[in-house]
Structures are given as structure tokens and as C-alpha cells.
Amino acid sequence: MDTIELSRLFEVFDRNGDGRITKKELKKSLENMGIFIQERELDQMIEKIDVNGDGCVDIAEFGSLYKSIMENPERKVEGDEDMKEAFNVFDQNGDGFISVEELRAVLGSLGLKQGMDIADCRKMIMKIDADGNGMVDYNEFKKMMRRDGFAAFT
């Protein structure tokens, strides 16, 4: 992931825009992506990468945190039930597919700039859409989450 993508993702996690991600912000953002991490493990992750010791994650520390979360596949989404729940966040009409419009709506609601441009959303869908139908089904979503995590949508 390049610096610009990392900065955009940092902005999503930094919900109040103060340049620091608190434990509460981190937990909420991860849960919104379908990633559930135990409190103790979250504390350990923050402690491990919190170089300046302020108990928060700044942009310089965020790269290490992101890498730590995404490199541990069993932590990405715990079980099929949570994976399905994460998929359902995107599949707003419940038809079993994530359309370009649904992706745009969810990314927009998360405050991601990519959600503003339909062409960007179309490109994101194309990256994940293995069967070429222009939408992401549950199996494609599951494969993407296990491989790339939420970053594939950014």
C-alpha cells in the first residue's frame, strides 16, 4: 500500500480528525470493516507500535499497525458469520451482490473520498470481480477479505 492510500485509510480510522487514532476509534473502525479483535489484543497492538507512548496511533505509527492487522489472516474476520455480516453491510439491498452503487454508498458513508466518484468504485469492483459480472458476490468478497482485507476497496 502506498503512502497516499495509507493516509486515506488513516483518515477513515481517525474519526474526529485530530491526527491520532484512539483505541476506541480503532476498535469502532475495525468492527465497521468486520474485523473483531479482543480488547487485550488491541491494547497489545497499540502498545507495541506506539513509539511516542501517548496511547494513540499517529500517521507514522499507523503503517505498522495496518501491516500487523492485515498480515494475520485468522484475525481479519472471525468465522463465516462475521464475514457474512461484513458482506451484508455492503450488500444493502440483500440481493447477494455488491453493486457499484452500493459500494459507493458505503464508502461515502465511511467518509472515503473514493466513494464520491462512481468511476473509482467501478475500478474497485473490477479488482475483486472474478467472474466479470460487474458485481461482487459473497465468495469474491470472502476471498478478497482473506487476501487483502478492506484495503482492496481503497
Side-chain angles (χ1 to χ4, degrees), residues 54 114 120 128 137 143 149:
D54 66 354
Q114 296 94 324
D120 285 346
I128 301 161
D137 65 28
K143 185 176 179 184

Side-chain angles (χ1 to χ4, degrees), residues 11-134:
E11 290 172 12
V12 172
F13 279 73
D14 181 19
R15 298 174 92 69
N16 66 2
D18 68 355
R20 300 169 359 142
I21 301 170
T22 63
K23 178 181 158 186
K24 185 177 178 181
E25 287 174 318
L26 178 61
K27 183 174 176 57
K28 181 74 174 155
S29 294
L30 289 173
E31 286 175 356
N32 286 343
M33 293 188 297
I35 301 172
F36 300 90
I37 298 177
Q38 301 288 327
E39 290 283 328
R40 191 174 48 88
E41 192 178 355
L42 204 54
D43 289 336
Q44 289 170 345
M45 282 183 354
I46 291 173
E47 192 176 302
K48 185 175 163 184
I49 59 126
D50 183 20
V51 178
N52 64 8
D54 66 354
C56 296
V57 178
D58 61 32
I59 187 70
E61 298 162 339
F62 185 67
S64 299
L65 175 66
Y66 179 79
K67 188 176 179 187
S68 149
I69 292 167
M70 291 306 156
E71 281 184 349
N72 201 339
E74 70 274 2
R75 186 189 297 143
K76 284 187 191 175
V77 178
E78 295 176 349
D80 276 350
E81 190 176 305
D82 291 333
M83 182 78 75
K84 188 67 173 161
E85 206 173 296
F87 178 79
N88 290 339
V89 169
F90 288 92
D91 180 19
Q92 296 179 325
N93 67 4
D95 68 353
F97 297 95
I98 301 170
S99 68
V100 172
E101 293 77 20
E102 288 170 323
L103 177 62
R104 182 179 185 195
V106 173
L107 294 180
S109 73
L110 289 171
L112 287 172
K113 293 179 183 106
Q114 296 94 324
M116 304 301 172
D117 184 20
I118 198 81
D120 285 346
C121 292
R122 200 169 281 118
K123 286 178 196 167
M124 289 179 235
I125 291 280
M126 286 172 46
K127 277 199 253 180
I128 301 161
D129 178 23
D131 63 13
N133 68 351

